Amino acid sequence: MEPKTLAFTAIAIACTPFALLICWNFFLPFLFRIFSRTVGSTLGWYLRKLTDGRRSLIIRATTENEAKFRESKLSAKDSSSRSSSSSSNGSDEGWENIEGSTLGTSGNGEKGDRDWDGIIGFFHPFCNAGGGGERVLWAAVRATQKRWPNAKIVVYTGDHDVSKDSMIARVKNTFSIDIHPPTIHFLYLSTRHWVLSSTWPHMTLLGQSLGSLIMGWDAFSLLVPDIFVDTMGYAFTLGLSKILFPDMPTAAYVHYPTISTDMLESLDPKASVGSQGVNAGKGVGFKGALKKYYWKIFAAIYSWMGASVDVVMTNSTWTQGHIQSLWGPRRKQRGRENSIAVVYPPCAVNEIERQVEISEESEKKRQKYIVYIAQFRPEKNHQLILQSFAEFVKTGTPSAKEAKLVLLGSVRDDNDSRRVYKLRLLVNELHIKDQVIFQLDAPWSEILQWLSKAFVGVNGMWNEHFGIGVVEYLAAGLICVVHDSGGPKLDIVTDVDGEPTGYHATTTSEFAEGFEKALSHPDPLTVRRRARLSSKRFSEEEFAKKWLAEIEKLVAMKV
């Protein structure tokens, strides 16, 4: 080969990384903008035309249902006093009397946009799951209904086996949240299986994200809303919405980043977090190296999609930090003015305070129960808690002999049922069958009973994004033993006036030690009162106030 050819070849090879960098940061975004403004907008126009008929039906049905609802309420109130019907003590019947937010966008807190009557779409395909994410959804729906009584709420769900009335009743029974029936509508997705992990046994993160695009198209084929809000974490669906409808305001409530720097670090067994998470230490060898590169590429695409969202809310400072590191730089490049806000999930703090007594008298009724409120998902790490409890029982201390572990959680599908079966097998293998209680799909009333008589609340998930169940422990005065990471560490189980509200642990031995300290505490009542005081930061009122402040930014883009 001639020297000149060699020189050109060497220069080309040396410039390749820079060319790829320029292509990724400038050329691809340029092509993306062209695509979204031409093909994407054309498809969006087609979807709007396709769903115009359903939009008209929803508007008409809302008007008719509202009239019937008001008529039935007036009939029911004939035998009761007017003061009782307009009481604000937890009643959701007086929708027309609810004041607008003082954080309104119409200036000086006026109610200029209170009469906004558009359609807000909530994308939550598993809205009947009954977990903490669903509490956020329904509390958000209720707050939105109160703030904009004339707005129509559409929930995109894949729960075909649950009717509207059954869904609303379950929300009331599970979360004690009253949803206003006339203005809420459910649209049923037929493509939810595309986001199940079982559909993508390999390259699951990418597969589920691509599946969310299919599901997003399915949603927009049913109805194109005026405002689109994702409350489950499908960033790719939000990216699709901006391609199809560049002028449609969007919001994301992020419970947990799909991928994070901690996840990437956990692949390395030598890293500080190399023993944590479901993929701990899997970054070794050729296959592990491929997984690292795959995750890094996915993280870049995830950042790209997240940067398109108009309003971003996270449930904790831990989640905010990770989303800021992933989405923040590109959001800044795209000129997104709204900062990433922390909006703590709504917790039933006030109701628990009313229902669960903390006093010297109630302390006598407490029993040595350790409760774990969590869905039966892999990341909740029930195995760790069972193994820790078994180690604690083996110590043979007076507290260990009396203690019982209670697992409270919802079962979403067959996969969850199989996990529960395996956990029962593990309980038998650990010889703790007589000291472990499974309470599946317990209603809220039953959960309150457990919180009122339990002694300790436990959480075993590594990097739990927030931990609504942990807040409920605090509100009920339980002494907490939680994983030394994520929201429970940074936001929830923190000191009050320099005194602890619980214990942090990582290993089975540390959890076992925490159980012993909590169950044999010399002055548990003082800790319980301190815990309840700490829980007041996470009330439903605080959530509603911060949620509406963010959603009002989207409504302002439409009025």
Side-chain angles (χ1 to χ4, degrees), residues 435-447:
Q435 291 180 260
V436 176
I437 300 171
F438 285 84
Q439 290 290 331
L440 310 181
D441 295 317
W444 178 241
S445 57
E446 188 174 333
I447 291 175

Side-chain angles (χ1 to χ4, degrees), residues 88-292:
S88 60
N89 186 23
S91 174
D92 287 328
E93 295 178 359
W95 293 88
E96 68 279 7
N97 297 323
I98 297 167
E99 291 298 323
S101 168
T102 57
L103 300 172
T105 56
S106 55
N108 298 323
E110 297 175 4
K111 296 190 246 177
D113 63 347
R114 176 170 161 74
D115 295 329
W116 184 74
D117 60 355
I119 297 177
I120 302 180
F122 286 83
F123 193 71
H124 204 107
F126 297 89
C127 69
N128 196 43
E134 287 65 56
R135 178 181 283 278
V136 169
L137 167 68
W138 298 119
V141 167
R142 181 175 65 175
T144 304
Q145 286 183 317
K146 288 184 175 183
R147 177 64 177 84
W148 296 281
N150 297 323
K152 291 80 181 172
I153 306 296
V154 169
V155 178
Y156 299 96
T157 177
D159 296 302
H160 288 260
D161 56 336
V162 185
S163 66
K164 173 180 174 177
D165 291 340
S166 298
M167 191 85 74
I168 292 175
R170 177 175 166 83
V171 171
K172 172 65 175 177
N173 183 49
T174 305
F175 303 118
S176 193
I177 292 176
D178 293 287
I179 301 298
H180 188 52
T183 60
I184 189 168
H185 307 270
F186 294 89
L187 296 181
Y188 296 91
L189 306 168
S190 60
T191 54
R192 192 175 71 175
H193 62 280
W194 286 106
V195 298
L196 298 177
S197 57
S198 57
T199 305
W200 307 94
H202 305 290
M203 300 184 73
T204 307
L205 285 179
L206 181 60
Q208 288 181 306
S209 296
L210 294 176
S212 72
L213 293 176
I214 298 173
M215 197 164 54
W217 179 269
D218 184 11
F220 296 132
S221 297
L222 295 172
L223 178 74
V224 179
D226 297 309
I227 293 174
F228 186 65
V229 181
D230 168 56
T231 49
M232 274 204 75
Y234 292 110
F236 279 55
T237 304
L238 289 163
L240 174 65
S241 70
K242 278 301 182 183
I243 294 175
L244 298 173
F245 318 105
D247 61 336
M248 183 169 70
T250 58
Y253 188 93
V254 185
H255 298 272
Y256 197 88
T258 304
I259 193 166
S260 66
T261 54
D262 283 352
M263 287 175 63
L264 290 169
E265 290 178 10
S266 72
L267 293 175
D268 184 358
K270 297 180 180 179
S272 59
V273 295
S275 61
Q276 305 291 343
V278 295
N279 288 283
K282 293 185 178 180
V284 297
F286 178 73
K287 187 176 180 180
L290 287 179
K291 192 177 189 72
K292 281 184 180 179

Side-chain angles (χ1 to χ4, degrees), residues 235-496:
F236 279 55
T237 304
L238 289 163
L240 174 65
S241 70
K242 278 301 182 183
I243 294 175
L244 298 173
F245 318 105
D247 61 336
M248 183 169 70
T250 58
Y253 188 93
V254 185
H255 298 272
Y256 197 88
T258 304
I259 193 166
S260 66
T261 54
D262 283 352
M263 287 175 63
L264 290 169
E265 290 178 10
S266 72
L267 293 175
D268 184 358
K270 297 180 180 179
S272 59
V273 295
S275 61
Q276 305 291 343
V278 295
N279 288 283
K282 293 185 178 180
V284 297
F286 178 73
K287 187 176 180 180
L290 287 179
K291 192 177 189 72
K292 281 184 180 179
Y293 284 115
Y294 155 53
W295 276 15
K296 287 181 180 179
I297 293 172
F298 178 82
I301 301 173
Y302 179 65
S303 302
W304 195 2
M305 292 295 184
S308 68
V309 186
D310 294 304
V311 168
V312 180
M313 294 167 274
T314 64
N315 63 347
S316 68
T317 54
W318 182 90
T319 307
Q320 181 195 43
H322 283 277
I323 290 297
Q324 181 62 44
S325 66
L326 290 165
W327 295 3
R330 287 191 180 274
R331 285 178 60 80
K332 187 175 181 180
Q333 290 176 7
R334 296 191 185 185
R336 300 298 179 199
E337 297 179 355
N338 298 315
S339 59
I340 298 173
V342 175
V343 179
Y344 288 135
C347 304
V349 172
N350 295 335
E351 182 179 1
I352 292 175
E353 284 189 16
R354 291 193 299 268
Q355 299 290 336
V356 180
E357 181 184 355
I358 297 179
S359 65
E360 293 181 359
E361 188 64 29
S362 66
E363 191 64 27
K364 299 174 184 177
K365 301 176 183 178
R366 296 272 182 180
Q367 301 178 51
K368 302 293 185 179
Y369 287 120
I370 302 172
V371 298
Y372 187 13
I373 302 176
Q375 290 180 328
F376 290 97
R377 305 203 310 261
E379 61 271 23
K380 295 300 182 180
N381 211 351
H382 287 83
Q383 293 93 331
L384 171 65
I385 300 306
L386 287 172
Q387 290 163 354
S388 302
F389 183 70
E391 184 172 330
F392 169 57
V393 170
K394 286 181 181 178
T395 62
T397 63
S399 296
K401 291 178 181 178
E402 297 180 46
K404 288 190 177 182
L405 176 64
V406 183
L407 303 180
L408 291 150
S410 59
V411 177
R412 301 168 300 170
D413 50 32
D414 291 340
N415 290 328
D416 285 358
S417 296
R418 283 191 288 270
R419 290 189 193 99
V420 172
Y421 175 73
K422 291 180 179 179
L423 291 174
R424 291 184 187 274
L425 291 178
L426 179 59
V427 166
N428 287 328
E429 293 172 5
L430 295 171
H431 305 292
I432 52 175
K433 181 180 179 180
D434 294 337
Q435 291 180 260
V436 176
I437 300 171
F438 285 84
Q439 290 290 331
L440 310 181
D441 295 317
W444 178 241
S445 57
E446 188 174 333
I447 291 175
L448 284 173
Q449 291 176 14
W450 282 109
L451 289 174
S452 64
K453 61 185 177 183
F455 209 95
V456 175
V458 64
N459 170 276
M461 179 177 170
W462 172 65
N463 272 345
E464 173 81 85
H465 37 84
F466 180 68
I468 288 180
V470 180
V471 174
E472 291 169 352
Y473 299 158
L474 291 181
L478 302 190
I479 302 175
C480 295
V481 182
V482 299
H483 201 282
D484 192 25
S485 64
K489 174 186 178 180
L490 299 175
D491 292 317
I492 306 175
V493 185
T494 56
D495 292 352
V496 174

